Amino acid sequence: MRRNGPLQQRRKVSIPIPGVTGTPCWGWKPITPYPLLSAGCPPIGLESHRIEDDQILASSMLRHGLGAQRGRLNMQAGTNEDDFFDGAWCAEDDSRAHWLEVDTRRITMFTGVVTQGRDSQIHDDFVTSFYVGFSNDSQHWVMYSNGYEEMMFYGNVDKDTPVLSEFPEPVVARYIRIYPQRWNGSLCLRLEVLGCPLSAVSSYYTQQNEVTSMDNLDFRHHSYKDMRQLMKVVNEECPTITRIYNIGKSSRGLKIYAMEVSDNPGEHETGEPEFRYTAGLHGNEALGRELLLLLMQFLCKEYQDGNPRVRGLVTDTRIHLVPSLNPDGYELAHEGSELGNWALGHWTEEGFDLFENFPDLASALWAAEERRLVPHQFPNHHIPIPEHYLSEDAAVTETRAVIAWMDKNPFVLGANLQGGEKLVSFPFDTARPSPPTPAAAPRPLDYEDERPELQETPDHAVFRWLAISYASAHLTMTETFRGGCHAQDVTDAMGIVQGAKWHPRAGSMNDFSYLHTNCLELSIYLGCDKFPHETELQQEWENNKESLLTFMEQIHRGIKGVVTDQQGEPIANATIVVGGINHNVRTASGGDYWRILNPGEYRVSARAEGYNPSVKTCHVLYDIGATQCNFVLSRSNWKRIREIMAMNGNRPIRRVVPGRPMTPRERLRLQMRLRHRMRLREQMRLRRLNATMASSSPTAPPSTTALPFPFSSTAYTPWSQEPPTAGTWEMDTETEVVTELVTETEGWELHTGTAQPLTTAETYTVNFGD
């Protein structure tokens, strides 16, 4: 949240207590002037939850779910109106005696308040006018006055749009109260207070949590033009390890810029994994955008300063940073700043939620599993995009650009930075339909909890490890005693949650990345305030800096290697199968692969079309550093077998068992084939004879031996089926390919009742091609 414009000139003002003459008995001092600030005072932190629940009090509450702690700006209600937690503070009754109070725990110069109505789909509750009071001890209060009477402030005209009420003169105090006077519907209110701290916070523990960054970085919000300029400056400072490129354009034609950080930018290096951070899927979630811009600067400066940790990351990893996937939405949200509502700039220009606009491959996979088609007929990895999604009107511009970017680069690990909550979410995000239960056995209320595997990915343990690696390194994400941003804590005090159990939705970017590519993708929700004030960026950078680095390092955990043939040539698109995990990955164009795994022992196999599979036992250690597991595959005859099967109509070739008597039908067909081969033998003999006599009588017509009916040595029906009809056998005469067949069968005898070592003509045709 941001405020623009300088404060007005301040004068010495003494605010009297209504109904009391003389000096206030509790020692209120006249307001003294303060140096003008370059910008207005920032929010004190109701929306971001820096102000804790016990710092917010109220005269009464309608119920606990509408208590004082719910009176925060942009507080969201549950998805159902009967949810326990609702979207505002609401008073017990419609009385003008009610108030909402905030304790800042320090001397603060208050400059204004931002008010908002109740978040509800059926209620239309908001305060239209109110008084403001101040105190230093929460016992004696002074109302804001214009010098003659209590000053009335005018609030909202709807329940969603925030309204800023600035004080003509700033007031110095510790406590602030809002006294609603008129309202629409019920007395309900959401609030943010603008104020500049003038003293240290009174709580020792809160002081310990306040961190000031020592990094010399650009801590401010960047417009689209500013973002491009900053990326250009970073590239000029570190040209040997950075590269700027764009992955596509937005609906309005703005380029979606990416920054690559690598020791060899511009190309994929064999054996070097590729990592990505993306932000700005929702344009009004600005913190992720700024964190990635700060990360670019940090990596550049620390690399130049010789930081061994950063140098190791840049040397061994190809890092891609995309700060704004939805630049159109950001430009809209940036105009409104803290005065924009919860959804301003959230969607793309075409009205889509970019995070949820990807093909729903999870539902397709589960449907195939129910029909027992996985993995033989339906893959468990790299699931193709449905054809209907590829139509021109099926996806927005930004989604197409992201999908093409994913397909172009062999990403191994990634995360998208979002806002509005503080936790890490991992796949599946799609809720899997529960299997039907018999009518006699009613489904228990906690059925989904008893069957967690219904929502879990095959890499559930790996995803939990990755999520914990970020949340545990964050300075405040695991402080779940404060609860969630809008409801109770859903992370079991760990700061992580599975998407399908928290906020189920189909077609998420995380599910698509997992099922269509090799990349394991998570969502990192950075905080309750989607658009924090510039003064909070330093604190947020320190909160997330270690987490951003630690998460990137997890890409070097598990196994890695190269798949080659016996001549040392890399095999692209080979499949890497890990025993016990029903999700495979593929090798990149250079035959290299990476598979993130938890510590343990794994049976790993590499398979490729036309090669025999290879199996190894690979050990994953606890320390960072992937275990090398290379594979050398030998060529197999499966390709030739598939050609034979195709020539036979993809039907099994009958295998003749030695010693088994032939049936009359099989004997008849054998006789027909041998007669046909006798005819071919005669044709070959005459062809050779004509070749030797070509010089003396080149025009002499060759003689042929006529048979009762025509034959062809092309594909025959298997012996287990009916004999072919005459029409089936009337085909073109054989070429020289059949000559090889005749040579291989000259020693066979006719009219024998014992089984012969025969096979179909197709086999000989293919072998001749070899």
Side-chain angles (χ1 to χ4, degrees), residues 5 248 262 285 304 324 435 443 450 454 459 472 506 515 711:
S262 173
E285 295 168 358
Q304 289 182 328
S324 185
R443 175 181 173 180
E450 293 182 356
L454 292 177
D459 286 287
S472 61
L515 296 176
F711 290 93

Short mmCIF file of all heavy atoms in Angstrom, two decimals, residues 5 248 262 285 304 324 435 443 450 454 459 472 506 515 711:
data_model
loop_
_atom_site.label_atom_id
_atom_site.label_comp_id
_atom_site.label_asym_id
_atom_site.label_seq_id
_atom_site.Cartn_x
_atom_site.Cartn_y
_atom_site.Cartn_z
N GLY A 5 2.41 12.05 -2.48
CA GLY A 5 2.19 13.46 -2.20
C GLY A 5 2.69 13.87 -0.83
O GLY A 5 2.63 13.12 0.11
N GLY A 248 7.04 -13.51 -24.50
CA GLY A 248 5.82 -13.24 -25.25
C GLY A 248 5.30 -11.86 -24.92
O GLY A 248 6.00 -11.02 -24.34
N SER A 262 23.18 -16.83 -15.23
CA SER A 262 23.95 -18.06 -15.41
C SER A 262 25.37 -17.69 -15.79
O SER A 262 25.63 -16.58 -16.28
CB SER A 262 23.31 -18.94 -16.49
OG SER A 262 24.12 -20.05 -16.80
N GLU A 285 -0.79 -8.22 -7.03
CA GLU A 285 0.07 -8.84 -6.04
C GLU A 285 1.51 -8.42 -6.34
O GLU A 285 2.25 -9.10 -7.06
CB GLU A 285 -0.11 -10.35 -6.06
CG GLU A 285 -1.52 -10.74 -5.63
CD GLU A 285 -1.86 -12.19 -5.90
OE1 GLU A 285 -1.02 -12.91 -6.45
OE2 GLU A 285 -3.00 -12.60 -5.57
N GLN A 304 29.67 -10.42 -8.06
CA GLN A 304 30.84 -9.58 -8.28
C GLN A 304 31.70 -9.47 -7.03
O GLN A 304 32.93 -9.36 -7.12
CB GLN A 304 30.39 -8.19 -8.73
CG GLN A 304 29.82 -8.13 -10.13
CD GLN A 304 29.42 -6.73 -10.54
OE1 GLN A 304 29.02 -5.92 -9.69
NE2 GLN A 304 29.52 -6.43 -11.81
N SER A 324 6.96 -10.15 -13.90
CA SER A 324 5.59 -9.69 -14.17
C SER A 324 5.00 -10.47 -15.33
O SER A 324 5.20 -10.12 -16.49
CB SER A 324 5.59 -8.19 -14.49
OG SER A 324 4.27 -7.71 -14.64
N PRO A 435 -14.39 -41.68 -5.01
CA PRO A 435 -15.05 -42.84 -5.63
C PRO A 435 -16.44 -43.04 -5.04
O PRO A 435 -16.69 -42.71 -3.88
CB PRO A 435 -14.12 -44.00 -5.27
CG PRO A 435 -13.39 -43.55 -4.05
CD PRO A 435 -13.23 -42.06 -4.19
N ARG A 443 -21.18 -42.34 3.19
CA ARG A 443 -19.84 -41.76 3.23
C ARG A 443 -19.64 -40.99 4.54
O ARG A 443 -20.46 -40.14 4.89
CB ARG A 443 -19.68 -40.81 2.05
CG ARG A 443 -18.37 -40.05 2.05
CD ARG A 443 -18.32 -39.13 0.86
NE ARG A 443 -17.16 -38.26 0.91
CZ ARG A 443 -16.89 -37.36 -0.02
NH1 ARG A 443 -17.68 -37.24 -1.05
NH2 ARG A 443 -15.83 -36.59 0.09
N GLU A 450 -9.56 -39.36 5.62
CA GLU A 450 -9.14 -40.75 5.75
C GLU A 450 -8.47 -41.27 4.49
O GLU A 450 -7.75 -42.24 4.52
CB GLU A 450 -10.35 -41.62 6.09
CG GLU A 450 -10.93 -41.35 7.48
CD GLU A 450 -12.10 -42.27 7.78
OE1 GLU A 450 -12.48 -43.05 6.86
OE2 GLU A 450 -12.63 -42.22 8.89
N LEU A 454 -6.11 -39.55 -2.28
CA LEU A 454 -6.96 -39.13 -3.38
C LEU A 454 -6.49 -37.80 -3.97
O LEU A 454 -6.69 -37.53 -5.15
CB LEU A 454 -8.41 -38.99 -2.92
CG LEU A 454 -9.13 -40.29 -2.54
CD1 LEU A 454 -10.52 -40.00 -2.05
CD2 LEU A 454 -9.18 -41.23 -3.74
N ASP A 459 4.67 -37.59 -6.06
CA ASP A 459 5.83 -36.93 -5.45
C ASP A 459 5.41 -36.12 -4.23
O ASP A 459 6.02 -35.08 -3.92
CB ASP A 459 6.50 -36.01 -6.48
CG ASP A 459 7.28 -36.78 -7.52
OD1 ASP A 459 8.35 -37.30 -7.18
OD2 ASP A 459 6.82 -36.88 -8.66
N SER A 472 10.32 -22.82 6.26
CA SER A 472 11.13 -22.86 7.47
C SER A 472 12.23 -21.82 7.46
O SER A 472 12.69 -21.37 8.52
CB SER A 472 11.74 -24.26 7.65
OG SER A 472 12.58 -24.59 6.55
N ALA A 506 -9.29 -26.22 -10.59
CA ALA A 506 -8.81 -27.01 -11.73
C ALA A 506 -8.02 -26.12 -12.69
O ALA A 506 -8.26 -24.92 -12.80
CB ALA A 506 -10.00 -27.64 -12.46
N LEU A 515 2.38 -32.22 -14.65
CA LEU A 515 1.90 -33.29 -15.52
C LEU A 515 2.32 -33.13 -16.97
O LEU A 515 2.30 -34.11 -17.72
CB LEU A 515 0.37 -33.38 -15.44
CG LEU A 515 -0.20 -33.75 -14.07
CD1 LEU A 515 -1.71 -33.70 -14.10
CD2 LEU A 515 0.28 -35.13 -13.65
N PHE A 711 -1.07 -66.74 -56.78
CA PHE A 711 -0.63 -66.54 -55.39
C PHE A 711 0.15 -65.24 -55.29
O PHE A 711 0.62 -64.70 -56.29
CB PHE A 711 0.27 -67.71 -54.94
CG PHE A 711 -0.48 -68.99 -54.78
CD1 PHE A 711 -0.57 -69.90 -55.82
CD2 PHE A 711 -1.10 -69.28 -53.58
CE1 PHE A 711 -1.24 -71.08 -55.67
CE2 PHE A 711 -1.77 -70.47 -53.42
CZ PHE A 711 -1.85 -71.38 -54.47
#
